[in-house]
């Protein structure tokens, strides 16, 4: 503004102080901005240096995993983008190398790590270890290294089924709540189809069980029994985790049926597999073989095809309650 006679020297001095203060604040802001830019440039240079350090070892990287030495490539370690190893060797993190041999140390079990590398090298043809101890260790390590594809592969391979192919296994596993499960075959119909031949191994397992049935018409269906077979007598409501399933029999889409109401849902004592109630059997196996008009398991789980439930729906024989089994398998289900 213009200064005239009406302004005193005091006004001029005050205005001058305000101008100097504003200039000082602006200078500080510019200095801070310059400092921020300098830091960002340094961080960028540091990251470039780390990335260059990683790239120098792209053809060959030495690892020391819990004392076990491995040699691999950066391409292998970063082949699955969201994995822990891909993050470690992306160049975004500073990794300490052994001053003698240049290896990178990872404080994990080194024995199962060879299977981790084999999976990263060729996931399509990876074969799961047969030894149960090694298998269990590998599941643990696959979770640590954030390899969900390997975890799923191990879960699928743990079920030795002659009925289910890989796609069917994947579809069926999605019907279970999240969590790792192991499936161990304890009986199949080649060993006998009578109630007693079913009852004995299932009672001995003392775990939840999964019964899978393939009819002579090629339909695949069955039941998951979360209750421990033989732990009670007669008909009981059963666990809310029990369900019946079909793998695309009629609608060409999978079907999962949950129990409705508070009445009976399963016969837990003996006489083969009986799902339903005392008057209507939603599914019978290893005794007679039938699927009545559903009475207990009538709720279609969310996300599955809505279909009219009649006798034979589960077995893919609508209107005909009876089915003829081609092969039936019973698995012990262990959740870990």
């Amino acid at each position: 503004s213009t200064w005239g006679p009406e302004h005193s020297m005091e006004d001029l001095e005050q205005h001058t102080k305000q101008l100097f203060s504003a200039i000082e604040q602006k200078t500080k802001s510019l200095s801070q901005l310059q400092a921020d830019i300098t830091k960002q440039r340094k961080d960028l240079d540091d990251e470039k240096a780390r990335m260059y350090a990683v790239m120098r070892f792209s053809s060959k990287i030495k690892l020391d995993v819990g004392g076990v030495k491995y040699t691999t490539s950066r391409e292998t370690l970063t082949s699955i983008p969201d994995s822990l190893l891909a993050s470690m060797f992306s160049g975004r993190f500073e990794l300490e190398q052994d001053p003698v041999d240049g290896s990178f140390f990872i404080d994990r079990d080194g024995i199962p790590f060879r299977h981790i590398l084999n999976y990263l090298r060729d996931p399509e043809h990876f074969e799961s270890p047969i030894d149960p101890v090694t298998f269990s260790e590998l599941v643990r390590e696959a979770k640590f290294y954030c390899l969900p594809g390997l975890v799923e592969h191990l879960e699928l391979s743990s079920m030795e089924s002659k009925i289910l192919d890989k796609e069917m296994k994947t579809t069926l596993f999605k019907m279970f709540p999240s969590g790792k499960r192991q499936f161990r075959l304890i009986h199949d119909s080649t060993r006998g189809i009578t109630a007693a031949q079913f009852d004995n191994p299932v009672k001995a397992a003392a775990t939840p069980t999964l019964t899978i049935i393939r009819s002579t018409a090629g339909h695949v269906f069955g039941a998951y029994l979360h209750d421990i077979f033989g732990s009670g007598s007669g008909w009981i409501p059963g666990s809310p985790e029990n369900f019946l399933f079909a793998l695309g029999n009629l609608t060409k889409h999978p079907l999962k049926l949950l129990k409705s109401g508070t009445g009976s849902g399963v016969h837990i004592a003996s006489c083969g597999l009986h799902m339903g109630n005392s008057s209507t059997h939603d599914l019978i196996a290893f005794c007679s073989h039938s699927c009545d008009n559903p009475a207990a398991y009538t709720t279609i789980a969310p996300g599955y095809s809505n279909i009219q439930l009649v006798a034979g729906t589960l077995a893919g024989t609508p209107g005909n309650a009876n089915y003829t089994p081609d092969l039936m398998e019973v698995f012990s289900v262990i959740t870990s």
Side-chain angles (χ1 to χ4, degrees):
S1 59
T2 303
W3 286 87
E6 69 276 11
H7 294 93
S8 65
M9 285 299 296
E10 290 80 4
D11 293 334
L12 179 59
E13 290 177 356
Q14 181 65 28
H15 185 67
T16 302
K17 288 180 180 179
Q18 291 175 351
L19 287 175
F20 274 108
S21 178
I23 292 171
E24 186 178 6
Q25 290 296 325
K26 193 67 174 177
T27 300
K28 288 182 178 179
S29 297
L30 290 173
S31 297
Q32 182 61 49
L33 179 60
Q34 185 177 16
D36 291 343
I37 292 174
T38 301
K39 184 179 183 303
Q40 290 175 6
R41 181 176 296 170
K42 183 179 183 303
D43 291 342
L44 179 60
D45 289 340
D46 289 345
E47 183 167 348
K48 286 181 178 179
R50 288 194 297 270
M51 292 182 70
Y52 176 72
V54 172
M55 291 301 293
R56 285 190 301 135
F57 295 97
S58 60
S59 60
K60 185 182 291 186
I61 292 180
K62 294 181 180 180
L63 299 174
D64 179 348
V65 185
V68 182
K69 300 296 182 70
Y70 292 95
T71 301
T72 184
S73 68
R74 180 176 178 273
E75 286 76 13
T76 293
L77 295 174
T78 60
S79 61
I80 298 182
D82 295 329
S83 68
L84 178 61
L85 290 168
S87 296
M88 289 175 61
F89 291 92
S90 65
R92 298 192 300 270
F93 304 99
E94 186 173 354
L95 302 176
E96 184 177 350
Q97 290 181 265
D98 186 282
V100 178
D101 65 3
S103 63
F104 297 94
F105 179 70
I106 300 176
D107 191 14
R108 296 295 294 183
D109 190 342
I111 303 301
F113 188 76
R114 72 182 185 90
H115 298 291
I116 297 291
L117 283 181
N118 286 336
Y119 174 77
L120 294 176
R121 288 164 177 152
D122 190 1
E124 292 298 320
H125 299 94
F126 177 77
E127 294 186 4
S128 303
I130 299 175
D131 178 66
V133 175
T134 304
F135 185 93
S136 179
E137 292 173 344
L138 183 56
V139 171
R140 180 193 63 214
E141 295 304 294
K143 291 179 179 178
F144 173 80
Y145 290 110
C146 301
L147 297 169
L150 178 54
V151 174
E152 180 181 359
H153 175 93
L154 293 171
E155 187 175 58
L156 292 173
S157 64
S158 74
M159 174 186 269
E160 299 180 0
S161 172
K162 295 181 180 178
I163 296 177
L164 302 182
D165 57 23
K166 182 177 180 180
E167 183 178 353
M168 287 180 175
K169 289 180 182 179
T170 301
T171 299
L172 180 57
F173 289 176
K174 289 179 180 178
M175 296 184 182
F176 288 90
S178 60
K180 179 70 181 71
R181 290 173 179 80
Q182 292 185 357
F183 299 85
R184 181 173 62 89
L185 184 68
I186 56 175
H187 184 63
D188 65 49
S189 54
T190 64
R191 309 175 199 177
I193 62 172
T194 68
Q197 290 167 323
F198 170 89
D199 295 348
N200 293 334
V202 175
K203 288 180 180 179
T207 66
T209 50
L210 176 70
T211 299
I212 303 172
I213 303 165
R214 182 179 65 206
S215 70
T216 52
H219 298 297
V220 178
F221 54 99
Y224 170 65
L225 179 60
H226 190 74
D227 299 288
I228 306 301
F229 189 81
S231 62
S233 60
W235 289 96
I236 62 170
S239 168
E241 294 190 39
N242 295 342
F243 64 85
L244 302 179
F245 66 89
L247 300 180
N249 294 351
L250 295 178
T251 63
K252 305 305 178 184
H253 296 287
L255 176 66
K256 177 182 178 181
L257 296 177
L258 305 175
K259 186 173 175 293
S260 306
T262 58
S264 297
V266 59
H267 193 280
I268 203 170
S270 58
C271 303
L273 178 69
H274 286 68
M275 308 289 287
N277 56 48
S278 58
S279 59
T280 303
H281 301 146
D282 296 20
L283 175 62
I284 301 179
F286 291 98
C287 183
S288 61
H289 299 95
S290 65
C291 301
D292 290 338
N293 187 34
Y297 294 84
T298 59
T299 299
I300 297 176
Y304 291 88
S305 301
N306 192 7
I307 185 174
Q308 183 179 3
L309 301 176
V310 298
T313 294
L314 198 67
T317 55
N320 182 5
N322 298 317
Y323 66 88
T324 303
D326 173 51
L327 180 62
M328 299 183 287
E329 298 173 329
V330 185
F331 293 85
S332 169
V333 182
I334 303 172
T335 302
S336 58

